[in-house]
Amino acid sequence: MIELSEKLIQTFPGKVVRKDLTKKIKEGANVPVYVLEYLLGMYCASTDEQAVEEGVGNVKKILADNFVRPDEAQKVISKLRERGSYTVIDKLSVKLDIKNDQYVAEFSNLGINCVPVSEEYVSKFERLLCGGIWCIVNMEYFYDENDNKQNPFIIRKITPIQMPSLDLDEVKTGREQFTKDEWIDIILRSVGMEPSHFSERVKWLHLARIVPLIENNINLCELGPRGTGKSHVYKEISPNSILVSGGQTTVANLFYNMSNRTVGLVGMWDCVAFDEVAGIRFKDKDGIQIMKDYMASGSFSRGKEEKAALASMVFVGNINQSVDVLLKTSHLFEPFPVEMNSDSAFFDRMHCYIPGWEIPKYRPHFFTDDYGFITDYLSEFMRELRKISYADAFDRYFKLGNNLNQRDVIAVRKMVSALIKLIYPHGKFEKEDVEEILRFALESRRRVKEQLKRIGGMEFFDVNFSYIDNESFAEEFVPVPEQGGGKLIPEGLNKAGHVYTIGRGKSGMIGTYKIEVEMAAGSGKYVCTGIGNMREAKEAADTAYRYLKANSKAVSGTISTATKDFMLHAQDLNGVGMTSSLSLAALVALCSAALNKPAVSSLAILGNLSIGGTLMKVEELANVLQVCLDSGAKKVLIPILSAADMGTVPPELMGKFNLIFYQSPEDAVFKALGVE
């Protein structure tokens, strides 16, 4: 890795910094990383150990003397008064004093306000007007006894802690000196991470976090355990992003203030991130609607006019349960506040969902000691790259599958564009490179779609995302890891007596259930377990046994309920509560065990029967079939009564199964066991 560092220093002289220096000083001074690295870049841009040591000493001295700690504000003000002039490092925000028609500054840590500022600085650095930026400020103190209303503090010079200029061609030329893997490592080191401790997959997830800083109007969400650095990038790395802590905001603050006609955060920052999504609250009732409008179109209406902005939206928060539990009982957007939680239109505007649970909890050795870009240089070239788009980069090689609607296509194109700009800023990439990025983009969007399907049902049934090779016409489907190969209904023959059914659980959600029946020599006893205290489910299982007792000869003369004991166990595979739709599947399971003949492979059994053998049709057939597909079923046993509802099922969904219709309980048993 030494070679890579040397190559980086040679290729980008004066633009790199040793990240361990940042770490050492950061622990003692609570300043943003880009402030520190600006100073380190000025004083420690060398490989000579002695020069670095001296530089670190200078930086520490500057921070000790000039950086304003809130608790030492009065001490600094006193020094300023005594000396007449002083240089401070502080966060400066500016507003227009309408009464006096002049711009006035407020110092965040110094605690003074209403300090006059020259118009020159306000027009040069517009961000002073919104949220403020860190600056090195040369100040003077002059108290006029004749005019005691005049503010004694005078600002002589403001130097924003940002790169003064950027040559994008330098980045493009420099990138050609590195391989893809080397460049990814450099990017990760630049944000403070040590890539050698991460798997390839985790590296890509870290890159996805940077996407909102390099692409306009992208909406990204990351939920995961605590301590995985979800908000680190948006708070520390870039001076162009703002983290709205606690989630509390107003329409005026975020979008547009009608009273003073100023654009809010989305107009001034490249990226607006909401920390702790569970706490997002708008004081205005129409806040979420305006946010939805903005997320979809990059514009919003306030008053008589429509405003456009380029800021990306990021939502980060914690998941309090394991992902498995969440997927079984709810959906992955559950941590969002109630007013958004079941709003499929809001979540449909998400372009990417980063699986935060795949990123390990941060440990000290995850932070790098090696060389990376000064974060300010990194954020400036990312900002510059926002003006370029590579949304059509894959069109030469691939086209997207039929399951993607317009919003899906936009999401995938935005992700592809962002990742290409991040990894291949020089614009040189091969087919394999694009394919790797395209797969990641499809997965990121599919994760959103899978959750929408859980929230909105059949409206979002088409989740099988794919891409087609323009040369070979081969279609590749892209899975989502947490949905798993996780097929609940396995391929191949099961044990005799083991069958699967789909029904609506106690919680109201549709789930998958497994019924297992064991038979032993005995005296005709019947035991049912796994159902808990749900009376309807118990009755359904009992109905199946009573029907078998009365009609066993119609199935096979070899079945004896008098000389055998039957033990039936029902299992709720999705954790959505037991279902009452068990009777027909239980009958098939009992017959399968009695005849020692397994059910056909990958079969889901639908339907119910009464004690007299009357069949009942399947409610919400389309939604039930969608769950069959998600559970891995390839064959579905359906009562003929439900044929009338086939018009409600999308043809694409129907084409995924071999549908087997039955006319009577006995017919269902024969077809389920593959008996002609």
Side-chain angles (χ1 to χ4, degrees), residues 148-161:
N148 58 11
K149 286 186 179 175
Q150 190 184 325
N151 197 312
F153 298 103
I154 303 159
I155 293 173
R156 281 284 168 245
K157 190 182 176 192
I158 296 175
T159 312
I161 296 181

Side-chain angles (χ1 to χ4, degrees), residues 44 181 223 302 353 390 402 418 542 549 575 581 593 605:
C44 307
D181 292 332
L223 302 178
R302 290 289 281 160
Y353 188 134
Y390 283 108
N402 296 331
D542 290 350
K549 223 169 169 179
S581 307
I605 300 167

Side-chain angles (χ1 to χ4, degrees), residues 41 233 368 427 432 572 582 591:
V233 170
T368 191
E432 296 75 39
D572 171 11
L582 290 174
C591 293

